[in-house]
Amino acid sequence: MAAPVTTRTGHVIDGQQLDGGPDTIDVVNPATDEVIAAVPAGTAADVDAAVRAASRAFTSWSRTSVEDRVALLRRIGTELGARRDEMAATITAEMGSPLSFSVNVQASLPIAVTTSVADLLDGGFAFSEEIGNSLVLREPIGVVGCITPWNYPLHQIVAKIVPALAAGNTVVLKPSEISPLTAGLFMAVLESAGVPAGVVNLVHGTGPVVGAAIAAHPGVDMVSFTGSTRAGKLVTTAAAGTVKRVSLELGGKSANVILDDADLGAAVKKGIANAYINGGQTCTAWTRMLVPADKHDEIVELAAAAAGKYTVGDPNEDGTRIGPMSSTAQRNRVLGYIAKGVEEGATVAFGGEDTSGLPAKGAYVPPTVFANVRPDMVIAQEEIFGPVLSVLPYRDEDEAVEIANSTVYGLSGSVFSGDPERGLAVAKRMRTGQVSINGGSFNPLAPFGGYRQSGNGRELGKYGIEEFTELKAIQR
């Protein structure tokens, strides 16, 4: 694998790489606790410069033909493919995903998403339609502020910026300060692909400074944010003064409902894999396993055995399935939730608070399975964002659905049943934006987003392009 590239660490505004002011933010490798780079701590003035550059570029970019945008997106996809291994190594270095996961998912899924958006445009995405005597147009919103998280640093950038460009918008990007190096590499991809100066601008910094400035800026016409529900509320509040559109992809506490006729072995194996994907640092992770009460002990035994196969260690080593958490702060947060589960009386079936068998350096936590979890426990209600699974017993199907819908979230979920139609019936009752039946695979063309405090708006597929458009009706 290519070594992580840490030379592009500055802002990129109007096509120019800028060092920014004297204040910087260290980028730490969570596997070693070593500082591997530093990025500038951006200011409101940096955001203003980026917004003005994006506003200038919007005039010409919004008028480009669909054919030209398709060609550019395909070049971006090609460049992402050429830099896949470099991207993967950088993602692993700055946020700790096992390298195999970084190659196969973190750096590969964005290529598929970019290609799918190009194909949708090429296939005749409807920017206009006739309704009676009205011509209804989908037009670009304008300048879009994209604020992205650390857990899927490239995918979340691509899932926002590529459809925003496809719709004719320009962008100001603030990546997470925890994983900012990937964003610098992505800007190099855009440059190589021929994206004009000012169309996409990058400002590094913290949420309270740069994120807030983007959300409140009168020259930003829309904010697309992915992150915690707490931070999403702050973005919404900051944006309210200018009544701009706010699209939010927030937290989740997804339920995996295992029905009494399911193949238990398959359901548990797939359930554990999803709960622990990316070290559990995934908003869609099925972190609540809902099981028939009379099968609870059997399923817990299966879950504990499956969890034991998830080797924790150096993310660059073959065989590692769970790397470090993204930071020491995240490690401490997860361990705090594990301690809370013990305090509340949940049974530790695997893992727990003991970290003695983990590497001495780095932000590591043990994969954990809690049994006998009640729906009202903190570990069953709050998003932990680590490899922690809660197993909750239910009496009947109605109670299973009630428990599944009992949190403030509604992002994802799953149903396992020996009868696909029964599984579908339960899936339809779950108040969540996405449901998998018997491990149905992720579809990058399907809408992605949540109900309730998991956010609003949708990403991916045609829905992701529509999200970045305004509707205009012309009567004639």
Side-chain angles (χ1 to χ4, degrees), residues 126-131 134-138 471-475:
F127 283 103
S128 66
E129 63 176 321
E130 299 278 355
I131 302 177
S134 298
L135 174 64
V136 179
L137 304 177
R138 284 195 176 273
L471 286 170
K472 175 188 287 182
I474 301 175
Q475 277 62 254

Side-chain angles (χ1 to χ4, degrees), residues 257-264 267 415-424 437-438:
V257 180
I258 300 178
L259 299 178
D260 55 14
D261 62 348
D263 179 335
L264 298 186
V415 182
F416 282 88
S417 173
D419 179 354
E421 291 304 313
R422 183 186 179 196
L424 177 61
I437 298 175
N438 291 334

Side-chain angles (χ1 to χ4, degrees), residues 50-91:
V51 172
R52 285 188 280 110
S55 297
R56 290 191 298 269
F58 178 74
T59 301
S60 58
W61 176 251
S62 62
R63 296 174 181 170
T64 56
S65 69
V66 170
E67 291 75 17
D68 286 345
R69 291 181 210 164
V70 169
L72 184 138
L73 294 183
R74 296 206 186 282
R75 293 197 299 273
I76 291 174
T78 298
E79 289 294 326
L80 285 171
R83 290 177 176 262
R84 186 193 68 164
D85 290 351
E86 187 179 12
M87 286 285 191
T90 300
I91 291 167

Side-chain angles (χ1 to χ4, degrees), residues 127 138-141 167 169 245 465-471:
F127 283 103
R138 284 195 176 273
E139 297 184 335
I141 288 179
N169 301 282
R245 184 183 301 181
I465 302 174
E466 291 173 351
E467 194 72 20
F468 294 101
T469 62
E470 291 279 21
L471 286 170

Side-chain angles (χ1 to χ4, degrees), residues 17 24 30 84 86 129 131 134 153 187 200 222 240 242 259 264 266-267 269 271 322 325 338 406 417 420 424:
Q17 295 187 54
T24 60
R84 186 193 68 164
E86 187 179 12
E129 63 176 321
I131 302 177
S134 298
M187 295 302 292
V200 180
M222 172 185 174
T242 51
L259 299 178
L264 298 186
K269 180 180 180 180
I322 297 179
M325 299 294 95
I338 293 174
S406 68
S417 173
L424 177 61

